[in-house]
Amino acid sequence: MDYIDQSDHQQAPDSAAATRSTVSGAERRRKPGWRDYTAFVLSSGGARGALQVGALKALLELGETPDVIVGTSIGSWNGAVLAMDPTEQGVEKLVNVWRTLTTSRILLGWEPHLPTAAPAFAGAFVVAAIRRVTLGYPSLYGDSGLRQVFNEHLAHMRFEDTKIPFRVIASNLSSGGLTVFGRGPVELALLASAAIPGIFPPVRIAGEIYVDGGALESSSIDTAIEMGARRIFVLDAGYDVTPELEDELQMLVQRQSRNGRSSNAHALAVMLERTATMMGRFQLDRAIQRVPPGIEVHVIRPTSTMNEAALDFDHAASWIDLSYEQAKVTLAQQFPTRLAPRTDAGDEVSDARDASATERDAEHDAASGPVAQRAG
């Protein structure tokens, strides 16, 4: 397997080692391969990634904490914030990030003086898309908005800075395979993972071209297993099948407005994104079927009845609250006897069972090592 290192093989800063050393064995005792070694796998889904945030809040409140995080597309952005602080406080930071996002900021890279729902502004998204297509750009929208978000909340972040191992999934157009990023600067990996084909521009890294990881794998369960996870929580924010969605797709095909107003995003962008998320759900369902015996998988699929959810960043706050309540119900059904986090006694049982496991620092270094590039 080829190793992708965006740092040009330079050593990570000393601060990264210091960060790792703050996570002592007493604080995190689970090791790769243990039955309780837990991965959070965060799927693609565009603006629907806000649904993952509410689900993460419910998981952390239940006492479920990740030992590793694997993210694809918007899931990689959520994962980057959480990997820096995999606690309830870290989730609150993520909530605050989402409250700063708007559709115009993400798609256009600037904030309007008018509400984005105003008829006078609705055409700005279409005009921007038409202009880029006319000028020969490979996407309807640029990535200046995504870069702004990164610089505001994750500036200068490296994979080595995270408190727990973190992986980003992207699709390599040059090789036709899947690439897992795990070392060096995070920015280009996140931009590549979220580069929805036709909507955001592809990203060049080390001479090769990358697009959204969801093009090949919306939720990389395989990567989590390879990292030693034996309990996996998949937070799937992808495709929803609802009557509202069907009605909207029919209107888009027939070029009709909805409730007297036109769609904010270009209809082509909506169709491209919906197609990608549909493919992601198909791939995830089959990935779950391939999970080997002994791996515990829990899928949390918050739903939104809102139309245009995958490109509509203006309703993040309400989606976070909605998914939080939905996830609490789902988790209560999956863990009916779980009323509190794991006890120290429970951890001690695991320690006795796996006394020969490596120390936490060694675990982090190994998990942050070579990344895989799998053939498509």
Side-chain angles (χ1 to χ4, degrees):
M1 294 186 293
D2 296 333
Y3 168 57
I4 303 298
D5 185 351
Q6 298 181 70
S7 62
D8 295 328
H9 305 286
Q10 297 177 1
Q11 290 291 330
D14 291 340
S15 60
T19 299
R20 292 197 300 272
S21 66
T22 62
V23 186
S24 69
E27 291 173 313
R28 302 192 60 80
R29 308 186 188 196
R30 301 192 295 264
K31 313 297 180 184
W34 289 20
R35 71 174 189 179
D36 282 349
Y37 195 69
T38 301
F40 284 5
V41 176
L42 309 181
S43 78
S44 57
R48 291 173 56 83
L51 297 171
Q52 293 176 345
V53 181
L56 286 170
K57 182 178 179 181
L59 275 170
L60 270 293
E61 286 183 358
L62 186 68
E64 293 293 348
T65 56
D67 295 294
V68 298
I69 296 175
V70 180
T72 301
S73 195
I74 191 62
S76 68
W77 289 73
N78 285 337
V81 176
L82 187 62
M84 296 294 288
D85 184 8
T87 66
E88 292 184 56
Q89 291 72 27
V91 175
E92 286 305 312
K93 293 177 185 177
L94 191 53
V95 170
N96 292 332
V97 171
W98 274 90
R99 293 188 188 281
T100 70
L101 305 184
T102 63
T103 305
S104 59
R105 183 181 184 189
I106 298 301
L107 297 186
L108 304 180
W110 52 273
E111 295 288 1
H113 296 296
L114 295 172
T116 56
F121 183 78
F125 295 98
V126 176
V127 171
I130 292 175
R131 177 179 179 276
R132 289 181 61 83
V133 170
T134 302
L135 294 176
Y137 287 97
S139 63
L140 296 177
Y141 303 103
D143 61 6
S144 60
L146 294 174
R147 291 177 183 272
Q148 288 175 17
V149 173
F150 181 87
N151 290 330
E152 182 174 341
H153 300 286
L154 296 168
H156 310 299
M157 176 183 170
R158 299 174 61 88
F159 283 96
E160 293 82 359
D161 297 332
T162 60
K163 296 291 181 63
I164 59 175
F166 170 53
R167 293 290 181 272
V168 170
I169 309 300
S171 300
N172 188 326
L173 287 184
S174 300
S175 69
L178 199 70
T179 296
V180 184
F181 290 95
R183 279 191 182 174
V186 171
E187 181 178 13
L188 290 182
L190 293 182
L191 290 172
S193 185
I196 303 172
I199 297 180
F200 294 117
V203 177
R204 183 187 298 271
I205 300 175
E208 298 192 318
I209 306 300
Y210 294 88
V211 296
D212 194 318
L216 293 178
E217 192 168 58
S218 69
S219 302
S220 190
I221 294 176
D222 291 343
T223 299
I225 295 174
E226 291 169 4
M227 295 175 71
R230 295 300 177 262
R231 298 178 73 247
I232 300 175
F233 288 89
V234 180
L235 277 61
D236 180 19
Y239 198 77
D240 245 353
V241 180
T242 66
E244 293 85 0
L245 173 61
E246 176 61 21
D247 290 343
E248 183 192 359
L249 291 178
Q250 292 290 343
M251 287 187 287
L252 283 174
V253 171
Q254 298 173 36
R255 301 174 63 185
Q256 297 176 355
S257 62
R258 183 174 64 248
N259 297 328
R261 70 177 181 89
S262 299
S263 166
N264 274 350
H266 192 286
L268 176 58
V270 175
M271 296 300 292
L272 287 171
E273 196 285 329
R274 290 264 165 79
T275 300
T277 55
M278 177 187 66
M279 293 167 57
R281 172 62 63 84
F282 182 86
Q283 295 159 359
L284 174 57
D285 289 342
R286 276 143 189 78
I288 293 172
Q289 295 173 8
R290 297 195 304 270
V291 172
I295 306 295
E296 178 184 339
V297 179
H298 302 275
V299 180
I300 302 176
R301 281 175 170 160
T303 61
S304 168
T305 58
M306 300 291 292
N307 292 331
E308 265 185 6
L311 291 174
D312 185 351
F313 288 84
D314 295 331
H315 297 88
S318 61
W319 292 340
I320 291 171
D321 294 338
L322 174 66
S323 63
Y324 171 67
E325 297 299 331
Q326 292 178 350
K328 286 201 301 183
V329 172
T330 299
L331 291 170
Q333 295 171 345
Q334 294 184 5
F335 304 99
T337 61
R338 176 77 63 78
L339 298 177
R342 294 186 188 88
T343 64
D344 290 340
D347 283 338
E348 290 170 0
V349 171
S350 294
D351 286 343
R353 185 187 306 114
D354 300 276
S356 62
T358 57
E359 293 300 320
R360 170 62 187 168
D361 286 347
E363 162 212 329
H364 186 286
D365 290 339
S368 295
V371 290
Q373 187 160 304
R374 300 202 294 269

